[in-house]
Amino acid sequence: MADQTRHTAPGTTAPPLVGRERESIALRTHLDAALAGRGSLVLIGGEAGIGKTALAEATLAEAAGQGALVLVGRCYDLSETPPYGPWIEALERAPVVADLPALPTVILPPGHEGEVLTSQDAIVRRVRDYLAAIAVRRPTVLLLDDLHWADPASLDLLRVVARGLATSPLLVLATYRSDELTRRHPLYALLPALERETRAARLDLRPLDAAALRALVGRYALIPAEANRLVAWLRDRAEGNAFFSVQLVRALEEAGALRRAGDGWALGDLGAIGLPAPLRQVLDARLLRLGEAHLRLLTPAAVIGQEVPLALWATVADTDEDGLLDAIDAAEAAHLVVATQDGAAIRFAHAFIREALYAVLPATRRRRVHRRVAEALAAMPAPDPDAVAYHLQRAGEARAYAWLVRAGERAQRAYAWLTAADRFEAALAAAEAGGTDASERGWLLLRLARMRRYADPGRGVAHLGEALRLGAQAGDRCLVAECRFNRGLFRCLADDIGGGVAEMAAGVAAFRALSEADRARLRALSEVRGSAFDEHDRQGTLAMWLAYTGRHAEAEALAAPYGTEAELPADAGGPGGSAYADAHWALGWTHSAMGRPEAARRAFAHARDAYEAVGHHRNAAAAILVELEWVVLPYRTDQLAERQRLLAEGERAWARAGGTHAADSAAEVRLPLQLLEGRWAEARPALEARRDTGPTNWRARVALRLGPLARAQGDADLVRALVREWLPAGPAGEPGESFLACALVLQRLAAALALDGGDRASARSWLEAHDRWLAWSGAALGRAEGALGWAAYHRAAGDGPAARRHAEAALARAADPRQPLALLAAHRLLGELDTAEGRPTEAADHLAEVLELADACAAPYERALTLLALTELHLATGDRALATATLAEGRALLEPLEARPALARADALAARLAALAPAPAPAAPPFGLTAREVAVLRLVAEGLTDAEVAARLFVTRNTVNFHLKAVYGKLGVNTRAAAGRIARDHGLA
């Protein structure tokens, strides 16, 4: 028996894992950490056949040996992977226990009962919670194999699950072919995000080197010279590809060039093997040696898929399962297939093998087999529409149309919109070939466009134009109304805002003109397609876009039927709930723009509650972000506790919402505060990454944040690029064609850049455009900033009185309603004007007010600009010491911000300071007092109150009180009067 074991051909057992020592150690480390409760994600990449799956499966075997639960989900290339395909396969064998979270229906195989969830966010959260729960019961290792063939929804789910691995005993391994990832592939962009967000480990497998190949052939006990000759031959032909190397060695065995000789092995004439053959030819030769009868049975299996259920295979091959056994035995002996654990199916050992078998079939026979597979699948109790549709497509059958639509509808219900779009697009091609009527094709185009409305709204506009034509041709009033409204929305998302809003309005009018019979038909069609119809939904969405573009009166009138102060209606969770939410969003936006912050807050709260009621959790979270940015920051900037409360609430809401972009969205909440609070190094990369992604309204919010930041950092080119992008017509552009808030900010920036370059004519044109857009919209927000722009214009022109009038107007507008940031900007400009005009006391009063506001708002950039203004005041009054101190503090704040224009101003002030005659060195103050304590004592001796001292020294009252306590202690007194007497006695007053 021992001799038989020693002489067994190495090629008849699984090849060893060679050349992967480093990777194996890394995986073992991650496995040990997961068993200890610290999970992780490991991404294993490399070319086809390099050994990714073999490496991962070795880790699975080790995990199972240590008692871990092992789950495997694969993606397949020659069949359409359904939404969440690998997850469905992996979780099919996961435990089902009463106290575990119920899995969503869309993550379960057809026929399995689960919970019906109403959003992608809910689906991914539930799967994440389920995996965390099973991992707590038993450490778990999950393999997602061949993710380069995964559907987008599966990748979205991976991103969410991976974020929670660090605190869970769950190890996720994901393999992919790196050579199949183009820049357009969804996995290409996801990989760096996974590394960034989850600290995923990335193992990129390299070709096997000579040492690894020597280990591979070492199993044959060749003499060293022969082993070296075989290694060199393999290196030339397989180029380090692990799978190809093994197949070539097996081909040598079968050809007799590698044969047993006594107790060892001998290597024959490798030159007789001929020129190196492509892998498929090597596999073809091995397959032909199976014999015609076995090949006849195996080829239908290759058509079925990578994993082949025996019952389905027997049906397609027109035999029973017993009739398959000989072919299975022969294929297993040749290492072409492996049996699944339950014995109910086989799986091809590698996708290459299946591809080779598939290619053996002539095209005509292949089509017939696909047809038989489709019919067998369709006859099952709960057929998989993706699988049936795929095989009917390959068979060239018109019946594929109906199954593709079913597959698209399933993907839509699973919130796998991009997969749904792919299915609908394939169905459309089948419909056009099969002569489907115009109305049906139009509805299909509408559905296709809606699935891609965020990913590719431009294509959606084209699809909807064709659908509109087909609807008009068929006389389908419902389709025409839907297409008009949706094409308008898509035009807005694709940057044609003015035309889009007009077409949305035409769509709303078309809905209103529908007969009751048409409305009933539209409701029925919508329910069939998985979305309830309510024409008011469209009205609420239109109101939102009217508000975005500055048509506030129209937006308010359109949203008025929903009530501005009403409580959330009892039926807000029904079909009209989304309309209610959208309308209140529009009201919140309008109230904020019109200077009604309290009404805006109430409207956003109503919108948030209504979105939650209809399951739009991301919209509910977004409403918190908008309230923070458009109500709290402009009107309540100095209420720090309120800012932090809303920030925390927003982050919690995004965490609850989940979804693929939860981390990005939570970061979005932080961006406005990062800009205000001086965390520019964090904010700028995040803004630039978002600049060219998403629909118009998302990108506009990025532009109105990025523009001022770029201006403050001296990046004039970026500011000009943003102005050209969003205001292509320049100052002559008309309102209503752009996102109003963004346009107003960029108009002011364009005017400021023009003044920087001495082009007052252009600056005037931009400021006049700003006034015109404000008057057209009726907005109050932005009027103070506009007045400041005019003040800067007149100051540059040397017209001090006009500059002061506009600065005072800005102060008045910033005071009612109160806008702290605009107030401090107005006070600072008035302080600078007073300094220039020789009114130091008035300047000091304004600048003290600014410092207090800047500190109250936690706005370091604003404080730094004010310190520069104070430096100019101190230079004007000849106070070199205070000028030096304020300049140093201002520069310290500006340097980490990389605020280059302000730093250049600081350099100019430093030069002026250096040009002054050096002041004599002061005598040391008595009693051990510091210079600042002496300054406080002097003013107290003059009879000034704490508030007056604070204003004179540009500090807070708390700072004055702190210094006074120190003075009293050093002088040994308890009262202001006693301190004043000592100051006078020693010449300090």
Side-chain angles (χ1 to χ4, degrees):
M1 185 65 104
D3 287 343
Q4 289 178 345
T5 302
R6 185 172 62 249
H7 292 307
T8 298
T12 62
T13 60
L17 191 65
V18 297
R20 303 297 179 215
E21 291 78 10
R22 179 184 63 85
E23 292 85 357
S24 296
I25 291 170
L27 285 170
R28 193 169 298 114
T29 301
H30 283 281
L31 175 59
D32 290 343
L35 295 173
R38 302 183 306 280
S40 57
L41 169 65
V42 182
L43 303 164
I44 305 173
E47 66 181 27
I50 202 69
K52 303 177 295 296
T53 302
L55 177 64
E57 288 180 341
T59 303
L60 297 185
E62 188 171 346
Q66 297 192 52
L69 173 66
V70 169
L71 302 174
V72 179
R74 304 182 193 276
C75 308
Y76 305 110
D77 62 333
L78 289 181
S79 59
E80 293 292 323
T81 302
Y84 305 108
W87 295 93
I88 293 172
E89 182 175 312
L91 295 175
E92 183 178 10
R93 296 176 176 83
V96 179
V97 184
D99 60 347
L100 287 174
L103 282 169
T105 300
V106 298
I107 301 293
L108 295 171
H112 288 63
E113 290 188 5
E115 186 173 349
V116 177
L117 298 178
T118 58
S119 72
Q120 186 190 25
D121 301 332
I123 290 166
V124 297
R125 285 202 312 274
R126 180 62 56 82
V127 175
R128 177 197 62 195
D129 295 345
Y130 173 85
L131 287 169
I134 64 170
V136 167
R137 299 168 70 97
R138 181 181 174 191
T140 302
V141 180
L142 167 64
L143 169 62
L144 299 172
D145 201 24
D146 287 331
L147 279 187
H148 52 280
W149 289 321
D151 61 292
S154 291
L155 300 179
D156 291 347
L157 180 50
L158 172 61
R159 187 174 183 184
V160 173
V161 168
R163 292 190 188 117
L165 292 176
T167 57
S168 177
L170 172 61
L171 172 61
V172 178
L173 309 178
T175 72
Y176 62 94
R177 288 186 186 175
S178 54
D179 52 337
E180 294 211 10
L181 298 189
T182 64
R183 289 183 177 273
R184 297 178 61 85
H185 196 291
L187 183 57
Y188 180 89
L190 179 60
L191 290 174
L194 290 172
E195 291 183 273
R196 182 178 67 251
E197 295 170 9
T198 70
R199 297 187 177 179
R202 196 163 172 177
L203 302 180
D204 295 312
L205 301 193
R206 299 182 299 274
L208 299 180
D209 58 17
L213 290 173
R214 194 168 288 109
L216 177 66
V217 304
R219 308 164 69 216
Y220 291 90
L222 293 164
I223 64 173
E226 296 290 78
N228 289 340
R229 187 160 64 94
L230 179 54
V231 166
W233 188 84
L234 288 173
R235 287 190 69 180
D236 287 344
R237 284 149 182 80
E239 297 180 343
N241 185 287
F243 179 75
F244 200 174
S245 297
V246 170
Q247 298 307 312
L248 285 172
V249 170
R250 286 175 177 158
L252 290 176
E253 288 186 52
E254 292 168 357
L258 181 61
R259 61 190 181 279
R260 195 182 304 124
D263 288 340
W265 286 77
L267 188 64
D269 181 8
L270 294 176
I273 300 301
L275 294 174
L279 177 57
R280 175 157 295 165
Q281 290 177 266
V282 173
L283 291 174
D284 287 346
R286 293 187 57 223
L287 292 171
L288 290 172
R289 292 189 183 96
L290 286 174
E292 186 177 343
H294 295 332
L295 265 182
R296 188 179 300 113
L297 287 174
L298 276 174
T299 47
V303 174
I304 291 171
Q306 187 73 13
E307 188 166 301
V308 187
L310 299 188
L312 176 59
W313 184 11
T315 299
V316 173
D318 199 17
T319 185
D320 56 22
E321 291 188 27
D322 289 341
L324 301 175
L325 295 180
D326 287 345
I328 293 173
D329 289 343
E332 282 188 310
H335 303 286
L336 301 175
V337 302
V338 292
T340 58
Q341 191 170 7
D342 59 8
I346 62 161
R347 182 165 55 84
F348 287 100
H350 199 282
F352 281 146
I353 295 171
R354 183 188 170 208
E355 290 169 8
L357 270 168
Y358 188 84
V360 167
L361 272 176
T364 51
R365 185 163 176 240
R366 195 183 302 156
R367 287 164 63 99
R368 286 197 297 272
V369 177
H370 275 297
R371 185 184 305 114
R372 295 197 66 180
V373 174
E375 289 167 349
L377 289 170
M380 290 181 173
D384 180 343
D386 282 288
V388 177
Y390 164 74
H391 289 290
L392 287 174
Q393 280 182 287
R394 291 288 178 144
E397 289 276 328
R399 289 176 291 170
Y401 167 75
W403 286 96
L404 284 164
V405 172
R406 286 177 61 177
E409 288 170 345
R410 180 175 74 165
Q412 183 177 351
R413 289 192 297 272
Y415 300 92
W417 286 359
L418 293 179
T419 299
D422 289 342
R423 302 300 185 266
F424 289 148
E425 192 159 35
L428 185 65
E432 290 169 348
T436 307
D437 69 75
S439 178
E440 182 65 19
R441 296 203 310 277
W443 282 104
L444 193 56
L445 277 163
L446 170 63
R447 300 171 77 180
L448 168 60
R450 285 185 60 79
M451 291 301 96
R452 288 191 176 138
R453 62 182 174 272
Y454 296 126
D456 195 350
R459 281 180 67 190
V461 170
H463 288 322
L464 289 165
E466 176 62 12
L468 186 61
R469 185 189 68 78
L470 292 170
Q473 175 185 321
D476 189 335
R477 289 159 50 90
C478 294
L479 177 58
V480 167
E482 282 276 24
C483 288
R484 282 201 184 282
F485 179 84
N486 279 280
R487 189 169 69 167
L489 175 60
F490 280 42
R491 288 173 67 183
C492 288
L493 295 174
D495 295 346
D496 180 10
I497 297 176
V501 169
E503 190 160 14
M504 287 169 69
V508 168
F511 283 123
R512 290 174 180 159
L514 292 176
S515 67
E516 188 51 44
D518 284 333
R519 292 168 186 266
R521 173 173 173 256
L522 195 48
R523 280 192 289 272
L525 285 170
S526 297
E527 287 165 8
V528 167
R529 288 164 171 78
S531 59
F533 166 75
D534 186 326
E535 60 268 26
H536 297 300
D537 286 348
R538 281 61 173 183
Q539 187 168 314
T541 304
L542 174 59
M544 287 175 64
W545 280 92
L546 288 169
Y548 289 159
T549 56
R551 294 163 67 171
H552 299 123
E554 296 173 69
E556 200 164 2
L558 200 60
Y562 299 91
T564 56
E565 306 297 332
E567 293 298 323
L568 186 68
D571 64 346
S578 181
Y580 181 92
D582 287 355
H584 277 266
W585 181 295
L587 287 170
W589 199 275
T590 293
H591 287 319
S592 173
M594 301 296 283
R596 302 191 287 261
E598 290 306 315
R601 296 203 73 173
R602 289 193 294 271
F604 282 127
H606 283 308
R608 186 165 64 246
D609 292 344
Y611 283 132
E612 289 285 4
V614 296
H616 291 340
H617 305 297
R618 275 188 275 186
N619 282 7
I624 298 173
L625 166 62
V626 174
E627 182 182 344
L628 173 65
E629 189 166 15
W630 293 103
V631 181
V632 173
L633 289 187
Y635 296 109
R636 298 183 171 188
T637 330
D638 50 356
Q639 297 188 19
L640 302 186
E642 180 70 3
R643 276 165 37 179
Q644 292 305 313
R645 181 193 67 79
L646 210 54
L647 172 63
E649 187 179 333
E651 290 180 329
R652 286 194 300 270
W654 280 116
R656 288 195 304 271
T660 64
H661 302 296
D664 292 341
S665 302
E668 182 86 3
V669 179
R670 294 189 287 271
L671 270 170
L673 287 182
Q674 287 173 344
L675 291 169
L676 178 61
E677 294 170 2
R679 299 195 300 276
W680 293 2
E682 300 170 53
R684 179 145 184 179
L687 286 169
E688 290 181 336
R690 290 164 170 77
R691 181 183 168 193
D692 298 319
T693 60
T696 303
N697 48 330
W698 299 359
R699 290 184 291 105
R701 293 224 305 269
V702 170
L704 65 85
R705 296 169 184 160
L706 184 56
L709 176 58
R711 159 82 173 150
Q713 292 188 322
D715 192 346
D717 289 340
L718 177 54
V719 177
R720 292 188 188 96
L722 290 168
V723 170
R724 286 193 300 270
E725 179 180 350
W726 290 96
L727 298 168
E734 291 300 321
E737 299 293 327
S738 186
F739 197 88
L740 179 70
C742 175
L744 292 175
V745 167
L746 292 176
Q747 285 168 343
R748 296 195 294 267
L749 290 174
L753 284 183
L755 288 178
D756 290 346
D759 186 353
R760 292 204 305 275
S762 291
R764 185 178 189 91
S765 297
W766 281 113
L767 291 170
E768 287 171 345
H770 187 270
D771 287 351
R772 187 172 72 253
W773 284 47
L774 278 172
W776 171 85
S777 68
L781 203 60
R783 290 186 182 273
E785 290 84 355
L788 286 170
W790 279 113
Y793 169 84
H794 289 296
R795 187 182 183 190
D799 188 343
R804 179 172 295 278
R805 284 196 306 273
H806 284 287
E808 289 171 347
L811 189 64
R813 289 169 181 169
D816 185 21
R818 185 172 181 272
Q819 301 155 64
L821 293 176
L823 275 174
L824 69 82
H827 274 299
R828 185 167 56 232
L829 181 54
L830 285 166
E832 290 172 349
L833 292 172
D834 283 331
T835 296
E837 294 168 10
R839 290 195 288 270
T841 302
E842 292 85 347
D845 289 342
H846 281 299
L847 296 178
E849 182 78 18
V850 179
L851 278 185
E852 186 174 342
L853 273 171
D855 290 343
C857 294
Y861 179 62
E862 300 297 340
R863 178 176 178 82
L865 294 181
T866 309
L867 289 167
L868 297 186
L870 277 170
T871 301
E872 290 180 332
L873 173 60
H874 295 322
L875 284 170
T877 58
D879 194 332
R880 182 190 181 98
L882 281 178
T884 301
T886 53
L887 180 59
E889 184 184 349
R891 182 184 290 281
L893 290 171
L894 292 169
E895 284 174 347
L897 301 178
E898 298 183 26
R900 284 178 281 275
L903 285 168
R905 181 180 170 192
D907 290 342
L909 289 170
R912 286 174 56 191
L913 192 58
L916 294 177
F927 305 105
L929 296 172
T930 67
R932 179 62 78 178
E933 288 164 355
V934 169
V936 170
L937 179 58
R938 278 201 185 104
L939 296 175
V940 167
E942 292 177 17
L944 273 65
T945 65
D946 285 0
E948 291 168 334
V949 172
R952 188 72 63 85
L953 296 178
F954 311 107
V955 295
T956 65
R957 292 181 64 178
N958 287 338
T959 301
V960 171
N961 186 261
F962 172 81
H963 287 310
L964 268 180
K965 286 180 180 178
V967 167
Y968 288 169
K970 291 177 180 180
L971 298 184
V973 299
N974 296 314
T975 66
R976 300 169 78 88
R981 281 196 300 274
I982 293 176
R984 287 188 290 275
D985 290 346
H986 289 78
L988 298 178

